[in-house]
Every structure is written in structure tokens, then in C-alpha cells.
Amino acid sequence: MSDSEEHHFESKADAGASKTYPQQAGTVRKNGYIVIKNRPCKVVEVSTSKTGKHGHAKCHFVAIDIFNGKKLEDIVPSSHNCDIPHVNRTDYQLIDISEDGFVSLLTESGGTKDDLKLPTDETLLTQIKDGFSEGKDLIVSVMSAMGEEQICALKDIGPK
């Protein structure tokens, strides 16, 4: 290989970290997280069936997608591994709301984050818009998992 060749690598800023990690199905509990049909979900119900004559005990998961609220179900042998998403929650201060539905957020380092849309949840959406138009200082919680991000909660820290 000659020295004149240049290599260009695309930076995705996740250092190749996996979006999920394996965990034994029998150890996943209610209020935990699980991946069902490639969607990150919060477990709302877990039931375990007894082993059959030749089989494994099976875990039946009922979970709700953390981004769109859809109910999903899955049945996995309790001794097998299932994917668990890395779920992060970060708080940002709301700076601005643009006309096209994007929000401008202040990060802890002092920079801005401008790539998030307003939430689709009607009550949260009206709370954010009303609070912002009243000139309140708002802190939004952003949940991120598997390459997706969405505003999931709102805190009011008083008037500006």
C-alpha cells in the first residue's frame, strides 16, 4: 500500500457500540426493556409457562413500544437470550420551536441540538407549545434507543 492513498472513514459517533445487548429471557422483568420485532419496548407483563415433556419453559412478554406506544407481544424460551436495547434519557433546556415542528435544545456543553421534532403525543405537544409561548423555562427529557430519539417528558423550571 502506498503512502499517497488516502482513507476516508465516515464517523457515526457511536464508536461501533451495539444498539442492543443480550440477556437471558428468564431474567427480563416487568418495567424492563426488550426488543420485539426490531422495536425498543418497555415490558408491561411477563408470564412464564412450565416446561413441556421435551421442551423449554417459555416467557411470554407483553410490551409497549417506547416511541410509538404500540403494544407488541413475543414468546421466547426462558433459557434463550433476547435483545435488550440501550435506553438513555437526557435532559435538555428548550430554546426555540421552529415553524416546521423542530425544536432547538441547549446541551450541557453549551451547544445546541436542532435535529429533534416535536413529540406526536397531543397532551405533551400542547404542554410544550403553551409553556413556550408563555415564556416559561422548560426542560425536556429526550429518550434515545436503537438510533431513535424522541421527547418523552417535560419539566417546568419557572419563568425566564
Short mmCIF file of all heavy atoms in Angstrom, two decimals, residues 67-128:
data_model
loop_
_atom_site.label_atom_id
_atom_site.label_comp_id
_atom_site.label_asym_id
_atom_site.label_seq_id
_atom_site.Cartn_x
_atom_site.Cartn_y
_atom_site.Cartn_z
N PHE A 67 -41.44 4.44 21.63
CA PHE A 67 -41.56 5.62 20.77
C PHE A 67 -42.96 5.84 20.20
O PHE A 67 -43.42 6.95 20.11
CB PHE A 67 -40.53 5.57 19.64
CG PHE A 67 -39.12 5.68 20.14
CD1 PHE A 67 -38.19 4.70 19.86
CD2 PHE A 67 -38.72 6.75 20.91
CE1 PHE A 67 -36.89 4.79 20.34
CE2 PHE A 67 -37.42 6.86 21.40
CZ PHE A 67 -36.51 5.88 21.10
N ASN A 68 -43.65 4.77 19.78
CA ASN A 68 -44.97 4.99 19.18
C ASN A 68 -46.14 4.44 20.01
O ASN A 68 -47.29 4.59 19.63
CB ASN A 68 -45.02 4.43 17.74
CG ASN A 68 -44.82 2.93 17.69
OD1 ASN A 68 -45.10 2.21 18.64
ND2 ASN A 68 -44.31 2.45 16.57
N GLY A 69 -45.84 3.80 21.16
CA GLY A 69 -46.90 3.37 22.07
C GLY A 69 -47.67 2.13 21.63
O GLY A 69 -48.66 1.77 22.26
N LYS A 70 -47.21 1.45 20.58
CA LYS A 70 -47.91 0.24 20.11
C LYS A 70 -47.61 -0.93 21.03
O LYS A 70 -46.50 -1.08 21.53
CB LYS A 70 -47.48 -0.10 18.69
CG LYS A 70 -48.08 0.82 17.65
CD LYS A 70 -47.83 0.29 16.25
CE LYS A 70 -48.50 1.20 15.24
NZ LYS A 70 -47.69 1.43 14.08
N LYS A 71 -48.60 -1.79 21.21
CA LYS A 71 -48.46 -2.97 22.05
C LYS A 71 -47.91 -4.12 21.20
O LYS A 71 -48.45 -4.42 20.15
CB LYS A 71 -49.83 -3.33 22.61
CG LYS A 71 -49.83 -4.35 23.70
CD LYS A 71 -51.26 -4.53 24.19
CE LYS A 71 -51.33 -5.36 25.43
NZ LYS A 71 -52.71 -5.56 25.86
N LEU A 72 -46.85 -4.76 21.68
CA LEU A 72 -46.24 -5.89 20.97
C LEU A 72 -46.11 -7.07 21.92
O LEU A 72 -45.98 -6.89 23.13
CB LEU A 72 -44.86 -5.50 20.44
CG LEU A 72 -44.82 -4.38 19.39
CD1 LEU A 72 -43.41 -3.86 19.22
CD2 LEU A 72 -45.35 -4.87 18.07
N GLU A 73 -46.16 -8.28 21.36
CA GLU A 73 -46.01 -9.49 22.18
C GLU A 73 -44.96 -10.40 21.57
O GLU A 73 -44.74 -10.40 20.37
CB GLU A 73 -47.35 -10.25 22.25
CG GLU A 73 -48.43 -9.50 22.97
CD GLU A 73 -49.69 -10.33 23.15
OE1 GLU A 73 -49.56 -11.48 23.61
OE2 GLU A 73 -50.76 -9.83 22.82
N ASP A 74 -44.32 -11.20 22.43
CA ASP A 74 -43.32 -12.14 21.97
C ASP A 74 -43.25 -13.31 22.95
O ASP A 74 -43.47 -13.13 24.15
CB ASP A 74 -41.95 -11.46 21.87
CG ASP A 74 -40.99 -12.21 20.96
OD1 ASP A 74 -41.42 -13.18 20.30
OD2 ASP A 74 -39.80 -11.83 20.91
N ILE A 75 -42.94 -14.49 22.43
CA ILE A 75 -42.75 -15.67 23.27
C ILE A 75 -41.35 -16.21 23.00
O ILE A 75 -40.99 -16.46 21.85
CB ILE A 75 -43.82 -16.75 22.97
CG1 ILE A 75 -45.20 -16.22 23.33
CG2 ILE A 75 -43.50 -18.03 23.74
CD1 ILE A 75 -46.34 -17.10 22.95
N VAL A 76 -40.54 -16.32 24.06
CA VAL A 76 -39.14 -16.74 23.93
C VAL A 76 -38.86 -17.82 24.97
O VAL A 76 -39.31 -17.69 26.12
CB VAL A 76 -38.19 -15.53 24.22
CG1 VAL A 76 -36.74 -15.91 23.96
CG2 VAL A 76 -38.56 -14.32 23.39
N PRO A 77 -38.14 -18.90 24.59
CA PRO A 77 -37.74 -19.88 25.62
C PRO A 77 -36.91 -19.19 26.70
O PRO A 77 -36.04 -18.37 26.38
CB PRO A 77 -36.88 -20.88 24.83
CG PRO A 77 -37.34 -20.74 23.41
CD PRO A 77 -37.72 -19.30 23.25
N SER A 78 -37.19 -19.47 27.96
CA SER A 78 -36.58 -18.72 29.07
C SER A 78 -35.06 -18.90 29.14
O SER A 78 -34.37 -18.05 29.70
CB SER A 78 -37.22 -19.11 30.39
OG SER A 78 -36.99 -20.47 30.66
N SER A 79 -34.55 -19.97 28.57
CA SER A 79 -33.10 -20.17 28.62
C SER A 79 -32.38 -19.47 27.47
O SER A 79 -31.16 -19.36 27.48
CB SER A 79 -32.78 -21.67 28.57
OG SER A 79 -33.34 -22.22 27.39
N HIS A 80 -33.11 -18.98 26.48
CA HIS A 80 -32.50 -18.32 25.34
C HIS A 80 -32.26 -16.84 25.63
O HIS A 80 -32.92 -16.24 26.49
CB HIS A 80 -33.40 -18.43 24.10
CG HIS A 80 -33.44 -19.82 23.54
ND1 HIS A 80 -33.78 -20.08 22.23
CD2 HIS A 80 -33.20 -21.03 24.09
CE1 HIS A 80 -33.73 -21.37 22.02
NE2 HIS A 80 -33.39 -21.97 23.13
N ASN A 81 -31.33 -16.26 24.86
CA ASN A 81 -31.07 -14.83 25.01
C ASN A 81 -32.02 -14.02 24.15
O ASN A 81 -32.40 -14.45 23.06
CB ASN A 81 -29.63 -14.51 24.60
CG ASN A 81 -28.63 -14.86 25.67
OD1 ASN A 81 -29.01 -15.16 26.80
ND2 ASN A 81 -27.36 -14.82 25.33
N CYS A 82 -32.39 -12.85 24.64
CA CYS A 82 -33.15 -11.92 23.81
C CYS A 82 -32.43 -10.57 23.86
O CYS A 82 -31.62 -10.33 24.75
CB CYS A 82 -34.60 -11.81 24.28
SG CYS A 82 -34.78 -11.42 26.00
N ASP A 83 -32.71 -9.72 22.89
CA ASP A 83 -32.04 -8.44 22.80
C ASP A 83 -32.67 -7.42 23.74
O ASP A 83 -33.89 -7.30 23.81
CB ASP A 83 -32.09 -7.89 21.37
CG ASP A 83 -31.15 -8.65 20.44
OD1 ASP A 83 -30.15 -9.18 20.95
OD2 ASP A 83 -31.41 -8.69 19.23
N ILE A 84 -31.83 -6.67 24.43
CA ILE A 84 -32.27 -5.59 25.32
C ILE A 84 -31.67 -4.30 24.76
O ILE A 84 -30.47 -4.23 24.54
CB ILE A 84 -31.76 -5.81 26.77
CG1 ILE A 84 -32.10 -7.22 27.27
CG2 ILE A 84 -32.30 -4.74 27.70
CD1 ILE A 84 -33.57 -7.54 27.38
N PRO A 85 -32.49 -3.27 24.52
CA PRO A 85 -31.95 -2.04 23.96
C PRO A 85 -31.22 -1.20 25.02
O PRO A 85 -31.58 -1.24 26.19
CB PRO A 85 -33.20 -1.30 23.47
CG PRO A 85 -34.29 -1.78 24.37
CD PRO A 85 -33.94 -3.21 24.71
N HIS A 86 -30.19 -0.47 24.59
CA HIS A 86 -29.56 0.52 25.46
C HIS A 86 -30.46 1.75 25.42
O HIS A 86 -30.57 2.40 24.38
CB HIS A 86 -28.16 0.90 24.95
CG HIS A 86 -27.15 -0.19 25.11
ND1 HIS A 86 -26.60 -0.52 26.32
CD2 HIS A 86 -26.59 -1.03 24.21
CE1 HIS A 86 -25.74 -1.50 26.16
NE2 HIS A 86 -25.72 -1.85 24.89
N VAL A 87 -31.14 2.06 26.52
CA VAL A 87 -32.06 3.20 26.56
C VAL A 87 -31.43 4.30 27.40
O VAL A 87 -31.04 4.06 28.54
CB VAL A 87 -33.43 2.79 27.15
CG1 VAL A 87 -34.37 3.98 27.21
CG2 VAL A 87 -34.05 1.68 26.32
N ASN A 88 -31.32 5.48 26.82
CA ASN A 88 -30.75 6.62 27.54
C ASN A 88 -31.78 7.73 27.62
O ASN A 88 -32.55 7.94 26.69
CB ASN A 88 -29.50 7.16 26.83
CG ASN A 88 -28.36 6.19 26.90
OD1 ASN A 88 -28.15 5.56 27.92
ND2 ASN A 88 -27.63 6.07 25.81
N ARG A 89 -31.75 8.45 28.74
CA ARG A 89 -32.63 9.60 28.92
C ARG A 89 -31.76 10.80 29.22
O ARG A 89 -30.93 10.76 30.12
CB ARG A 89 -33.52 9.31 30.12
CG ARG A 89 -34.97 9.49 29.85
CD ARG A 89 -35.71 9.25 31.14
NE ARG A 89 -36.87 10.09 31.15
CZ ARG A 89 -38.09 9.64 31.29
NH1 ARG A 89 -38.31 8.37 31.46
NH2 ARG A 89 -39.11 10.46 31.27
N THR A 90 -31.92 11.86 28.45
CA THR A 90 -31.12 13.07 28.64
C THR A 90 -32.04 14.27 28.75
O THR A 90 -33.02 14.35 28.02
CB THR A 90 -30.17 13.26 27.44
OG1 THR A 90 -29.63 12.01 27.05
CG2 THR A 90 -29.02 14.18 27.80
N ASP A 91 -31.71 15.18 29.65
CA ASP A 91 -32.50 16.40 29.79
C ASP A 91 -31.82 17.55 29.07
O ASP A 91 -30.60 17.74 29.18
CB ASP A 91 -32.67 16.77 31.28
CG ASP A 91 -33.58 15.80 32.01
OD1 ASP A 91 -34.24 15.00 31.33
OD2 ASP A 91 -33.65 15.87 33.25
N TYR A 92 -32.62 18.31 28.32
CA TYR A 92 -32.12 19.49 27.61
C TYR A 92 -33.05 20.67 27.91
O TYR A 92 -34.24 20.48 28.12
CB TYR A 92 -32.13 19.28 26.09
CG TYR A 92 -31.25 18.16 25.59
CD1 TYR A 92 -31.80 16.95 25.21
CD2 TYR A 92 -29.88 18.33 25.48
CE1 TYR A 92 -31.01 15.91 24.73
CE2 TYR A 92 -29.08 17.31 24.99
CZ TYR A 92 -29.64 16.11 24.63
OH TYR A 92 -28.86 15.10 24.16
N GLN A 93 -32.50 21.88 27.85
CA GLN A 93 -33.33 23.07 28.00
C GLN A 93 -33.85 23.47 26.63
O GLN A 93 -33.10 23.50 25.66
CB GLN A 93 -32.54 24.21 28.63
CG GLN A 93 -33.42 25.41 28.93
CD GLN A 93 -32.72 26.44 29.81
OE1 GLN A 93 -31.69 26.16 30.40
NE2 GLN A 93 -33.31 27.60 29.89
N LEU A 94 -35.14 23.79 26.57
CA LEU A 94 -35.77 24.19 25.31
C LEU A 94 -35.43 25.65 25.03
O LEU A 94 -35.66 26.52 25.86
CB LEU A 94 -37.29 24.01 25.42
CG LEU A 94 -38.13 24.33 24.20
CD1 LEU A 94 -37.81 23.37 23.05
CD2 LEU A 94 -39.60 24.26 24.52
N ILE A 95 -34.86 25.91 23.83
CA ILE A 95 -34.52 27.28 23.44
C ILE A 95 -35.58 27.85 22.50
O ILE A 95 -36.05 28.95 22.67
CB ILE A 95 -33.15 27.34 22.71
CG1 ILE A 95 -32.06 26.72 23.56
CG2 ILE A 95 -32.81 28.78 22.36
CD1 ILE A 95 -30.75 26.55 22.82
N ASP A 96 -35.96 27.04 21.50
CA ASP A 96 -36.82 27.58 20.46
C ASP A 96 -37.62 26.46 19.79
O ASP A 96 -37.21 25.30 19.80
CB ASP A 96 -35.96 28.29 19.39
CG ASP A 96 -36.78 29.09 18.41
OD1 ASP A 96 -37.89 29.51 18.77
OD2 ASP A 96 -36.31 29.29 17.26
N ILE A 97 -38.79 26.83 19.22
CA ILE A 97 -39.58 25.91 18.41
C ILE A 97 -39.72 26.56 17.04
O ILE A 97 -40.19 27.69 16.93
CB ILE A 97 -40.98 25.67 19.02
CG1 ILE A 97 -40.86 25.07 20.42
CG2 ILE A 97 -41.80 24.75 18.13
CD1 ILE A 97 -42.18 24.93 21.16
N SER A 98 -39.30 25.85 15.98
CA SER A 98 -39.40 26.41 14.63
C SER A 98 -40.78 26.13 14.04
O SER A 98 -41.52 25.28 14.54
CB SER A 98 -38.31 25.82 13.73
OG SER A 98 -38.51 24.44 13.58
N GLU A 99 -41.12 26.84 12.97
CA GLU A 99 -42.44 26.68 12.34
C GLU A 99 -42.64 25.27 11.78
O GLU A 99 -43.75 24.79 11.71
CB GLU A 99 -42.64 27.70 11.21
CG GLU A 99 -42.91 29.12 11.66
CD GLU A 99 -41.63 29.89 11.95
OE1 GLU A 99 -40.67 29.79 11.15
OE2 GLU A 99 -41.57 30.57 12.98
N ASP A 100 -41.55 24.63 11.34
CA ASP A 100 -41.68 23.30 10.72
C ASP A 100 -41.70 22.15 11.73
O ASP A 100 -41.58 20.99 11.37
CB ASP A 100 -40.59 23.08 9.66
CG ASP A 100 -39.19 23.22 10.22
OD1 ASP A 100 -39.05 23.54 11.43
OD2 ASP A 100 -38.22 23.01 9.47
N GLY A 101 -41.86 22.47 13.04
CA GLY A 101 -42.04 21.42 14.03
C GLY A 101 -40.77 20.89 14.67
O GLY A 101 -40.80 19.92 15.41
N PHE A 102 -39.63 21.51 14.39
CA PHE A 102 -38.38 21.09 15.03
C PHE A 102 -38.11 21.95 16.25
O PHE A 102 -38.51 23.12 16.30
CB PHE A 102 -37.20 21.19 14.05
CG PHE A 102 -37.13 20.05 13.08
CD1 PHE A 102 -37.80 20.11 11.88
CD2 PHE A 102 -36.39 18.91 13.38
CE1 PHE A 102 -37.75 19.05 10.99
CE2 PHE A 102 -36.33 17.85 12.49
CZ PHE A 102 -37.01 17.92 11.30
N VAL A 103 -37.44 21.38 17.25
CA VAL A 103 -37.11 22.13 18.46
C VAL A 103 -35.61 22.39 18.50
O VAL A 103 -34.82 21.62 17.96
CB VAL A 103 -37.54 21.38 19.75
CG1 VAL A 103 -39.03 21.33 19.86
CG2 VAL A 103 -36.95 20.00 19.82
N SER A 104 -35.23 23.47 19.13
CA SER A 104 -33.84 23.80 19.35
C SER A 104 -33.57 23.63 20.84
O SER A 104 -34.25 24.25 21.68
CB SER A 104 -33.57 25.24 18.91
OG SER A 104 -32.19 25.50 18.96
N LEU A 105 -32.63 22.77 21.19
CA LEU A 105 -32.36 22.42 22.58
C LEU A 105 -30.94 22.80 22.96
O LEU A 105 -30.03 22.73 22.14
CB LEU A 105 -32.57 20.92 22.80
CG LEU A 105 -33.92 20.35 22.39
CD1 LEU A 105 -33.90 18.84 22.46
CD2 LEU A 105 -35.02 20.90 23.27
N LEU A 106 -30.76 23.18 24.22
CA LEU A 106 -29.44 23.55 24.74
C LEU A 106 -28.83 22.33 25.42
O LEU A 106 -29.44 21.77 26.35
CB LEU A 106 -29.59 24.70 25.74
CG LEU A 106 -28.31 25.26 26.35
CD1 LEU A 106 -27.49 25.98 25.28
CD2 LEU A 106 -28.64 26.21 27.48
N THR A 107 -27.66 21.91 24.99
CA THR A 107 -27.00 20.75 25.59
C THR A 107 -26.22 21.20 26.83
O THR A 107 -26.01 22.39 27.04
CB THR A 107 -26.02 20.08 24.60
OG1 THR A 107 -25.00 21.03 24.27
CG2 THR A 107 -26.73 19.63 23.33
N GLU A 108 -25.75 20.23 27.61
CA GLU A 108 -24.99 20.55 28.83
C GLU A 108 -23.68 21.24 28.51
O GLU A 108 -23.19 22.05 29.28
CB GLU A 108 -24.74 19.29 29.66
CG GLU A 108 -25.93 18.89 30.48
CD GLU A 108 -25.61 17.81 31.50
OE1 GLU A 108 -24.42 17.50 31.71
OE2 GLU A 108 -26.56 17.30 32.10
N SER A 109 -23.11 20.92 27.35
CA SER A 109 -21.83 21.52 26.97
C SER A 109 -21.99 22.94 26.43
O SER A 109 -21.01 23.59 26.12
CB SER A 109 -21.13 20.63 25.93
OG SER A 109 -21.94 20.54 24.78
N GLY A 110 -23.25 23.40 26.30
CA GLY A 110 -23.48 24.76 25.83
C GLY A 110 -23.79 24.85 24.35
O GLY A 110 -24.09 25.93 23.85
N GLY A 111 -23.73 23.73 23.65
CA GLY A 111 -24.07 23.71 22.22
C GLY A 111 -25.58 23.57 22.03
O GLY A 111 -26.34 23.51 22.99
N THR A 112 -25.99 23.53 20.76
CA THR A 112 -27.42 23.34 20.50
C THR A 112 -27.64 22.04 19.77
O THR A 112 -26.77 21.55 19.06
CB THR A 112 -28.01 24.49 19.65
OG1 THR A 112 -27.30 24.56 18.42
CG2 THR A 112 -27.94 25.81 20.38
N LYS A 113 -28.82 21.49 19.96
CA LYS A 113 -29.25 20.26 19.29
C LYS A 113 -30.52 20.62 18.54
O LYS A 113 -31.53 20.96 19.16
CB LYS A 113 -29.50 19.19 20.35
CG LYS A 113 -29.91 17.85 19.80
CD LYS A 113 -29.94 16.85 20.94
CE LYS A 113 -30.42 15.49 20.50
NZ LYS A 113 -29.68 14.88 19.43
N ASP A 114 -30.46 20.55 17.20
CA ASP A 114 -31.57 21.06 16.38
C ASP A 114 -32.23 19.98 15.52
O ASP A 114 -32.97 20.30 14.61
CB ASP A 114 -31.07 22.18 15.47
CG ASP A 114 -30.45 23.32 16.26
OD1 ASP A 114 -31.12 23.82 17.17
OD2 ASP A 114 -29.30 23.68 15.96
N ASP A 115 -31.96 18.70 15.78
CA ASP A 115 -32.44 17.65 14.88
C ASP A 115 -33.65 16.89 15.41
O ASP A 115 -34.02 15.86 14.88
CB ASP A 115 -31.30 16.66 14.58
CG ASP A 115 -30.74 16.02 15.84
OD1 ASP A 115 -31.08 16.47 16.94
OD2 ASP A 115 -29.95 15.07 15.70
N LEU A 116 -34.29 17.41 16.46
CA LEU A 116 -35.44 16.70 17.04
C LEU A 116 -36.75 17.37 16.68
O LEU A 116 -36.87 18.59 16.75
CB LEU A 116 -35.32 16.66 18.57
CG LEU A 116 -34.58 15.48 19.17
CD1 LEU A 116 -34.48 15.64 20.66
CD2 LEU A 116 -35.26 14.18 18.85
N LYS A 117 -37.73 16.55 16.33
CA LYS A 117 -39.07 17.07 16.04
C LYS A 117 -39.88 17.13 17.34
O LYS A 117 -39.55 16.48 18.31
CB LYS A 117 -39.80 16.13 15.07
CG LYS A 117 -39.65 16.49 13.62
CD LYS A 117 -40.59 15.62 12.81
CE LYS A 117 -40.80 15.96 11.41
NZ LYS A 117 -41.01 17.20 10.89
N LEU A 118 -40.94 17.92 17.32
CA LEU A 118 -41.87 17.95 18.46
C LEU A 118 -42.51 16.58 18.62
O LEU A 118 -42.68 15.87 17.63
CB LEU A 118 -42.95 19.01 18.23
CG LEU A 118 -42.54 20.45 18.51
CD1 LEU A 118 -43.54 21.41 17.88
CD2 LEU A 118 -42.42 20.72 19.99
N PRO A 119 -42.88 16.18 19.85
CA PRO A 119 -43.49 14.85 20.02
C PRO A 119 -44.85 14.75 19.35
O PRO A 119 -45.52 15.77 19.14
CB PRO A 119 -43.62 14.72 21.54
CG PRO A 119 -43.57 16.11 22.06
CD PRO A 119 -42.75 16.90 21.10
N THR A 120 -45.26 13.53 19.02
CA THR A 120 -46.56 13.31 18.38
C THR A 120 -47.67 13.20 19.42
O THR A 120 -48.84 13.34 19.08
CB THR A 120 -46.53 12.03 17.52
OG1 THR A 120 -45.98 10.97 18.32
CG2 THR A 120 -45.67 12.21 16.29
N ASP A 121 -47.30 12.95 20.68
CA ASP A 121 -48.29 12.85 21.75
C ASP A 121 -48.97 14.20 21.96
O ASP A 121 -48.30 15.19 22.28
CB ASP A 121 -47.58 12.39 23.04
CG ASP A 121 -48.52 12.27 24.22
OD1 ASP A 121 -49.65 11.80 24.01
OD2 ASP A 121 -48.12 12.63 25.34
N GLU A 122 -50.29 14.25 21.77
CA GLU A 122 -51.03 15.52 21.77
C GLU A 122 -50.90 16.31 23.08
O GLU A 122 -50.67 17.51 23.06
CB GLU A 122 -52.52 15.27 21.47
CG GLU A 122 -52.80 14.94 20.01
CD GLU A 122 -52.41 16.04 19.03
OE1 GLU A 122 -52.62 17.22 19.35
OE2 GLU A 122 -51.86 15.72 17.97
N THR A 123 -51.06 15.62 24.23
CA THR A 123 -51.02 16.35 25.51
C THR A 123 -49.64 16.95 25.76
O THR A 123 -49.53 18.10 26.18
CB THR A 123 -51.41 15.44 26.69
OG1 THR A 123 -50.62 14.25 26.63
CG2 THR A 123 -52.88 15.05 26.63
N LEU A 124 -48.59 16.17 25.49
CA LEU A 124 -47.22 16.65 25.67
C LEU A 124 -46.94 17.80 24.70
O LEU A 124 -46.32 18.80 25.07
CB LEU A 124 -46.23 15.50 25.46
CG LEU A 124 -44.77 15.73 25.84
CD1 LEU A 124 -44.64 16.12 27.31
CD2 LEU A 124 -43.96 14.49 25.58
N LEU A 125 -47.42 17.67 23.48
CA LEU A 125 -47.23 18.70 22.45
C LEU A 125 -47.85 20.03 22.88
O LEU A 125 -47.20 21.07 22.80
CB LEU A 125 -47.85 18.22 21.13
CG LEU A 125 -47.73 19.13 19.92
CD1 LEU A 125 -46.28 19.28 19.50
CD2 LEU A 125 -48.54 18.58 18.76
N THR A 126 -49.08 20.00 23.36
CA THR A 126 -49.74 21.24 23.78
C THR A 126 -49.07 21.81 25.03
O THR A 126 -48.92 23.03 25.14
CB THR A 126 -51.25 21.03 24.05
OG1 THR A 126 -51.41 19.92 24.91
CG2 THR A 126 -52.01 20.81 22.76
N GLN A 127 -48.62 20.95 25.96
CA GLN A 127 -47.91 21.44 27.14
C GLN A 127 -46.64 22.18 26.76
O GLN A 127 -46.34 23.24 27.31
CB GLN A 127 -47.53 20.27 28.06
CG GLN A 127 -48.66 19.72 28.89
CD GLN A 127 -48.21 18.53 29.74
OE1 GLN A 127 -47.26 17.83 29.41
NE2 GLN A 127 -48.91 18.29 30.83
N ILE A 128 -45.88 21.63 25.79
CA ILE A 128 -44.63 22.25 25.35
C ILE A 128 -44.93 23.58 24.66
O ILE A 128 -44.34 24.61 24.98
CB ILE A 128 -43.83 21.31 24.42
CG1 ILE A 128 -43.29 20.11 25.21
CG2 ILE A 128 -42.67 22.06 23.76
CD1 ILE A 128 -42.64 19.03 24.36
#
